[in-house]
Each structure stands twice: as structure tokens, then as C-alpha cells.
Amino acid sequence: SGAEGSTRHTMHSTLFAHVPVESTGRYTLQNPQLLKTDVTQGSSPVLARQGAMVAFEGQVEFDSQYRNRSWRNAERMTGERLELMRCKGNGIVYLANLAQHLHIMEVGRGITVDSSYVLAFDGSLGVGIVAVDSAVEVASAGAYNLELSGSGQVVLMTSGEPLVLEVGPDKNVCVDSDAVIAWSTSLRTQLQAPTSTSGVWRRRGTTGEGWEMHFGGTGHVLVQPSELLPPQGMRNGGVLGQFGMRGNSLGGSNS
């Protein structure tokens, strides 16, 4: 009928509004939750989260076993493996991770970020692995983080729209360790149990107690609004894993 034909035409028109966007840069947001990456741009390969590719066009080589010397040394000392793949060649790669919000940023003077929230970055960047000092492993506390440096860009993921807080000489910032995503490498950090009323912070992990991170110096801190662990945590424990639980016991990991 004419009505059915009109409906099919409308659906066709709506769907085909979501075609690849035109761009000239290496990283472009196809939409807030999908990244278009032109691996042809730039002189270095793109390093992306393993399993994050949803499509690609052209002649692109993928190497999930790639490790440079500094990475191997860091992994040997920490036991922490960077689950990244190298993308190079001539083509376009589309990346996403469970519909998380994506953010492209210049590394600038250096950024320290939980590896769980990294989607992709330029292979020309310097990569180090650093630990947030903690005797108790709850959420991101005690986890190893990436320290990125050099000239280039990184694409970060957040569960929901993020908040960027400025830290200055007269303005220290205190955040929930479960909510922090990244911070300027130049900042001083201190992790500790809550000094204020414990009920203020979300309760997570085996201790039943929240943890807070203090930042001092000059720079910025990125936090996310989600009250859950990162969605990628689901791979270890299904839906319960997303809430930091394993069966009937509390636990959870931020990686």
C-alpha cells in the first residue's frame, strides 16, 4: 500500500543519515560514542584497545602482539599487560567500546590515565606504566596507569558526560577514586581512606569503604558521573562484574 511504501522510505532515509562523516584529521567523532580513525594520517601507527574495532575500510594491518622494548620492560616489572593493538596502513578504522562517550584530547605536557579508559592514541607518544600507591586494591586504587607524554593525541572513554576540574596553587581537588579517569602528570597525588564522613563516598570493593584521591599542584583532573565500574569489567564477571561483584561476594577490578 501507499502507507507501507511511505514507511519503508522514511526508515531508509533515517538510517542513511548515519553515513561516515567527512574529515581530514586522524581522529574524528563519527558520533559521541563512535570514533573514525584515519590510520593514513600521521607518520606513526595508531594504538587501539583490543576488541574495540567495529569496522574498517581499505588496506589496514592489525597487530595485537605488538610490543616495543619499553612496554615489555614495564610489563615484566609490573605484571600488567597492555591490551592494545597496532593499526597501520592505508584506510579507515571505526572504534567503539560498549557505547561509552569518547573524547579526543592533546596529550600536551603529559597525562596519567587508567588504561581501562583508553580507546586509542598515537604510536609516537611515550608510554610508561605507573602505580597509584595503595595497600588495598579497591576499584582503581592500586591499579597501574598509563603515563602518556610527547606530541600527539589520545582518545579517552567515559561512562556518561565527564567533568574536568582545575587544580591550582590555592585549589586542591579531592575525588572518588572510582570516578577519576585521568589527570595531568604534573599533579601530586595521594590516595587514602575518607577523612570526612565515609557515607559521602560511594562504597566499593572488599572493604565496604570508599577511597579518595587528593590532587595538588597545577593541572586538571577528569572524572566521570557513572556509579558503576567501567563496562569493560563485564568481561570478567558478566553483569555482576559491572557492579564490582563476583557471585555473592564483593570484589571487582577497574581493568
Side-chain angles (χ1 to χ4, degrees):
S1 67
E4 290 176 348
S6 176
T7 301
R8 287 195 297 269
H9 178 72
T10 301
M11 290 179 62
H12 177 86
S13 299
T14 301
L15 287 173
F16 279 80
H18 301 283
V19 297
V21 298
E22 295 294 330
S23 61
T24 57
R26 165 165 271 193
Y27 305 109
T28 305
L29 290 182
Q30 173 71 35
N31 60 55
Q33 297 158 309
L34 185 62
L35 180 73
K36 177 183 178 182
T37 304
D38 187 346
V39 300
T40 310
Q41 299 288 336
S43 58
S44 64
V46 172
L47 299 176
R49 184 178 187 83
Q50 289 185 20
M53 183 182 69
V54 296
F56 76 94
E57 304 169 350
Q59 302 298 317
V60 183
E61 298 178 15
F62 301 95
D63 183 1
S64 61
Q65 303 301 318
Y66 170 75
R67 293 291 181 276
N68 63 25
R69 180 177 299 178
S70 62
W71 290 22
R72 289 195 297 268
N73 290 340
E75 290 175 353
R76 185 167 58 250
M77 290 188 307
T78 64
E80 194 84 356
R81 180 175 173 83
L82 303 180
E83 296 184 350
L84 299 170
M85 61 181 178
R86 180 175 62 176
C87 312
K88 65 178 183 177
N90 184 8
I92 303 293
V93 178
Y94 295 92
L95 302 169
N97 188 63
L98 296 174
Q100 286 184 287
H101 290 251
L102 307 179
H103 315 276
I104 304 168
M105 65 175 296
E106 296 286 342
V107 169
R109 297 184 178 180
I111 181 174
T112 302
V113 57
D114 187 324
S115 60
S116 299
Y117 301 102
V118 173
L119 182 68
F121 59 90
D122 293 331
S124 59
L125 292 173
V127 182
I129 300 181
V130 295
V132 175
D133 186 26
S134 173
V136 181
E137 293 186 2
V138 290
S140 60
Y144 290 94
N145 297 271
L146 297 185
E147 194 173 88
L148 302 176
S149 60
S151 178
Q153 294 179 307
V154 60
V155 183
L156 302 180
M157 309 179 292
T158 63
S159 295
E161 293 290 348
L163 172 68
V164 177
L165 298 172
E166 183 176 2
V167 182
D170 301 319
K171 186 181 180 182
N172 291 345
V173 170
C174 181
V175 304
D176 184 337
S177 64
D178 292 334
V180 66
I181 302 294
W183 60 89
S184 303
T185 300
S186 58
L187 291 177
R188 302 185 305 273
T189 62
Q190 182 180 4
L191 181 71
Q192 63 185 45
T195 54
S196 56
T197 304
S198 60
V200 171
W201 304 102
R202 295 195 302 274
R203 297 171 185 268
R204 198 74 50 78
T206 58
T207 63
E209 182 177 32
W211 286 75
E212 60 187 49
M213 287 188 70
H214 291 259
F215 294 91
T218 302
H220 295 85
V221 178
L222 176 69
V223 298
Q224 68 175 358
S226 174
E227 295 186 358
L228 305 179
L229 294 176
Q232 53 266 28
M234 292 173 63
R235 68 176 183 228
N236 293 327
V239 175
L240 290 179
Q242 188 179 9
F243 287 83
M245 295 181 287
R246 301 292 183 267
N248 294 325
S249 62
L250 290 175
S253 171
N254 204 30
S255 60

